[in-house]
């Protein structure tokens, strides 16, 4: 499900013909070598493809339009080896629709003190040419990432790698289709939003189906397919009967297996990558989808509870941005539930009724069957686990009426101090940066939701860069946050994004 296109990035070197053919030959050779070595570094998640040196308006415009229509091209990296008069780039830049990285580097690392002459200076003047180029991009108001440093530096390579995942988020955003099989929960404000504006800004298609259409698809799943999946569950997860009859328990598990298969068939057939449900609108479904949704999330589907389509799309987006990442620790929808306010042990217990993605699990995963305190269906089965320790980001995309705001909080995930044997749901526990009190105050001042799209595997910078590319406001709550400054950030956003 997580498979995306075989994306590549184009490497375009700027120059001009003022310095003769030998210089242009060197420029091409050097940029080819840089591309080859970047690809060989093992740092980049996506391949870089060398493109012929750009020196004329016509070629720049043509190359950028080829990038636009190449479905595998996820972004363009530009570097000016020599001076490259930037008016030549105006038409191309006006038409470029792919994410843009300005790699401000130079071929040599050290000044060749003994041999340097004016020919060398003319050939290796990125310090000069990249400033001319940066000027026109700024003047044209084009959003781009700038990375400065020698191309062989692992820090620079990691910055390029990090941006590549942002670029994938930008190009993949427009392919996200969210299926709603329920409306937003009655009277809830923060899960609402302008779906037309979301499609204009992010490209998300958010459609509704009557819940019984998907419930019929669930009903049509055969007993044998269902039983095979139940067997897989019993192999893979611990079974916590907790006094329930084993056969009755298994029947409850089978309901979720049938939902998993039925939902996935329905989503695949209709080409949706994210789904929302609502415990109060289940039609003929026998249980609130719990275990079923958890499994679908692990396969790469986005999910939002109580009709929260923004969280569903964000979870899908973050899963796509982290696809194929080595040692990924997981991405899930979560919800701020309850606090530990003991001094020195402060944190927020994260959970939901059922639907937390097992990609964030640490240690064994068990199946439990328990009544749901809300709704009117049979006791749903769900996967129960605790989550990994370490740094993560919690994000909340909110609709302020005239615009979207993305709130990004760096959080430190920890083990709960003690087990919680009576809590029948998967959990995470984190302390927001800079501390619980400042973090919670800033989150509330910004209007952040109780549902979040959470990941261990992306940085606040990446999500901020994604928001910038989407043309929306991002606010950051991290180790440097002070409430007085944060309120100024919000005030600036009010003016800038009016
Ligand atoms: Mn909820």
């Amino acid at each position: 499900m997580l498979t995306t296109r075989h994306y590549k990035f184009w490497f375009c070197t700027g120059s001009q013909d003022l310095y003769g053919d030998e210089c242009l030959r060197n420029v091409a050779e050097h940029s080819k070598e840089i591309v080859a070595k970047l690809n060989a570094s093992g740092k980049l998640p996506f391949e870089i493809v060398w493109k012929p040196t750009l020196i004329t308006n016509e070629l720049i415009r043509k190359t950028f339009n080829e990038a636009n229509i190449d479905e595998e091209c996820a972004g363009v990296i530009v570097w000016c080896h020599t001076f490259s008069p930037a008016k030549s780039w105006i038409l191309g830049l006006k038409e470029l629709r792919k994410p843009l990285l300005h790699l401000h580097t130079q071929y040599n690392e050290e000044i060749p003190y003994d041999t340097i002459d004016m020919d060398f200076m003319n050939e290796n003047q990125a310090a000069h040419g990249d400033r001319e180029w940066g000027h026109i991009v700024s003047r044209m108001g084009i959003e781009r990432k700038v990375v400065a440093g020698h191309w062989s530096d692992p820090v620079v390579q990691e910055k390029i790698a990090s941006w590549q995942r942002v670029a994938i988020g930008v190009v993949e955003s427009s392919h996200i289709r969210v299926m709603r099989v329920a409306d937003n929960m009655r009277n809830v404000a923060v899960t609402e939003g302008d779906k037309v504006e979301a499609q204009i800004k992010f490209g998300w298609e958010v459609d509704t189906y009557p819940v019984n259409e998907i419930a019929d698809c669930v009903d049509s799943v055969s007993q044998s397919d269902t039983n095979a999946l139940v067997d897989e569950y019993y192999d893979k997860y611990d079974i916590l009967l907790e006094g329930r009859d084993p056969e009755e328990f298994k029947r409850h598990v089978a309901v979720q297996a049938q939902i998993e298969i039925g939902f996935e068939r329905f989503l695949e057939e209709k080409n949706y990558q994210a789904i929302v449900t609502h415990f109060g609108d289940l039609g003929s479904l026998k249980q609130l989808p719990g275990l079923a949704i958890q499994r679908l999330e692990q396969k790469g589907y986005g999910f939002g509870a109580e009709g929260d389509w923004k969280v569903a799309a964000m979870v899908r987006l973050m899963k796509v941005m982290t696809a194929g990442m080595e040692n990924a620790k997981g991405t899930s929808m979560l919800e701020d539930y309850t606090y530990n306010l003991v001094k020195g042990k402060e944190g927020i217990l994260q959970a939901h009724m059922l639907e937390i993605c097992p990609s964030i699990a640490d240690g064994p995963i068990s199946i439990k069957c328990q009544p749901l305190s809300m709704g009117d269906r049979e006791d749903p089965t769900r996967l129960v686990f605790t989550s990994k320790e370490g740094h993560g980001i919690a994000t909340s995309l909110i609709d302020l009426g005239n615009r979207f705001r993305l709130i990004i909080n760096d959080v430190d995930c920890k083990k709960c101090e003690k087990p919680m044997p009576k809590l029948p749901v998967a959990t995470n526990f984190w302390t927001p940066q800079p501390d619980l009190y400042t973090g919670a105050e800033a989150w509330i001042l910004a209007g952040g939701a109780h549902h979040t799209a959470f990941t261990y595997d992306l940085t606040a910078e990446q999500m901020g860069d994604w928001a910038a590319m989407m043309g929306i406001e991002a606010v950051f709550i991290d180790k440097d946050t002070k409430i007085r400054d944060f309120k100024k950030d919000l005030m600036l956003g009010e003016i800038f994004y009016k």
Side-chain angles (χ1 to χ4, degrees):
M1 175 54 206
L2 256 177
T3 48
T4 54
R5 293 197 176 93
H6 187 66
Y7 284 117
K8 295 182 169 107
F9 289 80
W10 289 17
F11 193 92
C12 298
T13 311
S15 190
Q16 62 170 323
D17 53 12
L18 196 65
Y19 312 117
D21 288 346
E22 193 193 335
C23 175
L24 281 173
R25 266 197 304 279
N26 290 342
V27 165
E29 260 174 45
H30 292 165
S31 62
K32 275 183 192 167
E33 184 187 337
I34 291 172
V35 167
K37 290 192 172 156
L38 285 174
N39 283 328
S41 71
K43 290 270 194 299
L44 306 187
F46 299 92
E47 187 190 347
I48 297 179
V49 181
W50 180 85
K51 291 286 161 182
T53 311
L54 299 181
I55 51 174
T56 64
N57 305 31
E58 293 73 21
L59 185 60
I60 293 166
R61 186 184 181 197
K62 181 170 173 286
T63 304
F64 281 4
N65 275 302
E66 283 166 4
N68 287 338
I69 57 169
D70 185 332
E71 291 201 334
E72 289 193 341
C73 173
V76 172
I77 300 170
V78 174
W79 164 52
C80 294
H81 190 310
T82 68
F83 195 73
S84 178
K87 286 186 195 169
S88 323
W89 292 77
I90 290 174
L91 203 52
L93 283 168
K94 268 177 96 168
E95 294 176 8
L96 180 67
R97 292 190 307 274
K98 291 290 166 88
L100 181 60
L101 173 76
H102 184 184
L103 178 60
H104 181 44
T105 191
Q106 78 182 9
Y107 177 66
N108 56 302
E109 189 173 18
E110 189 177 37
I111 294 173
Y113 297 105
D114 298 335
T115 57
I116 188 165
D117 57 14
M118 276 319 289
D119 285 345
F120 181 92
M121 294 272 268
N122 287 333
E123 192 177 296
N124 297 279
Q125 53 174 317
H128 170 156
D130 270 341
R131 280 173 164 77
E132 162 78 357
W133 195 80
H135 165 76
I136 202 66
V137 187
S138 287
R139 172 158 177 171
M140 292 173 74
I142 295 169
E143 188 59 42
R144 84 290 202 188
K145 186 79 174 169
V146 183
V147 171
H150 196 253
W151 50 272
S152 69
D153 180 352
V155 175
V156 169
Q157 294 169 354
E158 275 156 20
K159 283 183 181 177
I160 299 169
S162 166
W163 170 80
Q164 283 186 326
R165 294 202 176 272
V166 175
I168 297 300
V170 171
V171 297
E172 277 283 329
S173 190
S174 62
H175 306 139
I176 294 177
R177 302 180 75 235
V178 183
M179 176 183 286
R180 302 166 77 227
V181 293
D183 200 351
N184 298 70
M185 184 176 164
R186 274 188 292 280
N187 292 320
V188 176
V190 79
T191 58
E192 278 285 8
D194 183 337
K195 297 188 282 293
V196 178
E197 194 60 24
Q199 188 159 359
I200 293 168
K201 276 276 185 290
F202 312 118
W204 302 343
E205 291 178 48
V206 185
D207 301 325
T208 302
Y209 287 76
V211 65
N212 277 341
E213 273 192 41
I214 201 167
D216 287 348
C217 186
V218 171
D219 278 342
S220 70
V221 175
S222 71
Q223 199 65 50
S224 62
D225 287 352
T226 303
N227 290 344
L229 188 56
V230 170
D231 289 346
E232 188 186 322
Y233 292 169
Y234 273 59
D235 279 347
K236 195 165 182 180
Y237 309 115
D238 296 338
I239 305 299
L240 294 181
L241 290 177
E242 297 176 321
R244 294 183 88 110
D245 174 70
E247 285 309 310
E248 181 253 358
F249 188 97
K250 204 169 202 171
R251 278 198 299 277
H252 277 70
V253 173
V255 170
Q256 294 284 338
Q258 201 180 21
I259 294 174
E260 179 185 334
I261 298 168
F263 271 33
E264 190 166 19
R265 284 180 188 165
F266 200 75
L267 289 163
E268 265 183 11
E269 184 196 314
K270 296 183 162 44
N271 188 29
Y272 288 92
Q273 298 81 39
I275 185 167
V276 303
T277 59
H278 176 4
F279 66 88
D281 186 4
L282 292 172
S284 62
L285 292 171
K286 295 188 195 77
Q287 298 176 14
L288 174 64
L291 200 164
I293 286 292
Q294 293 176 289
R295 299 256 314 171
L296 291 174
E297 264 185 281
Q298 184 147 37
K299 288 175 181 170
Y301 288 93
F303 173 75
E306 291 95 52
D308 195 336
W309 54 269
K310 297 196 297 302
V311 163
M314 286 300 293
V315 169
R316 168 64 185 174
L317 175 78
M318 289 159 103
K319 284 183 177 283
V320 170
M321 288 172 75
T322 56
M325 189 180 269
E326 245 177 85
N327 305 319
K329 292 169 74 177
T331 298
S332 180
M333 175 218 169
L334 281 163
E335 181 169 74
D336 298 302
Y337 249 100
T338 199
Y339 289 124
N340 189 31
L341 293 171
V342 174
K343 293 284 177 196
K345 298 175 179 174
E346 294 97 334
I348 318 172
L349 186 63
Q350 303 288 324
H352 203 259
M353 274 179 222
L354 307 172
E355 310 94 335
I356 307 307
C357 177
S359 64
I360 66 170
D362 187 29
I365 301 176
S366 313
I367 302 181
K368 280 199 184 201
C369 182
Q370 290 257 345
L372 205 62
S373 50
M374 284 179 258
D376 55 357
R377 301 303 152 108
E378 65 179 43
D379 302 352
T381 49
R382 76 290 302 271
L383 297 172
V384 180
F385 51 85
T386 60
S387 298
K388 298 179 185 86
E389 294 182 85
H391 173 264
I393 53 166
T395 68
S396 174
L397 180 70
I398 57 167
D399 186 337
L400 289 167
N402 61 339
R403 64 204 170 88
F404 291 102
R405 171 185 285 159
L406 183 66
I407 301 148
I408 308 163
N409 192 181
D410 282 274
V411 300
D412 297 306
C413 301
K414 302 163 179 179
K415 284 289 163 197
C416 267
E417 204 182 353
K418 294 173 189 170
M420 297 172 285
K422 292 192 170 171
L423 192 66
V425 288
T427 57
N428 198 339
F429 180 83
W430 69 55
T431 307
Q433 290 186 15
D435 57 73
L436 173 67
Y437 310 106
T438 312
E441 286 166 15
W443 187 273
I444 286 170
L445 284 168
H450 49 281
H451 287 166
T452 55
F454 163 84
T455 184
Y456 292 101
D457 306 318
L458 293 168
T459 62
E461 180 179 335
Q462 285 175 306
M463 290 313 297
D465 287 347
W466 175 82
M469 288 292 300
M470 295 286 122
I472 66 158
E473 179 189 16
V475 293
F476 300 91
I477 306 169
D478 60 19
K479 63 180 174 41
D480 299 322
T481 296
K482 293 189 173 62
I483 291 297
R484 195 166 61 186
D485 298 337
F486 188 74
K487 285 175 83 168
K488 277 190 196 145
D489 288 348
L490 297 178
M491 284 161 66
L492 278 174
E494 291 292 339
I495 299 163
F496 185 81
Y497 292 96
K498 268 259 178 302

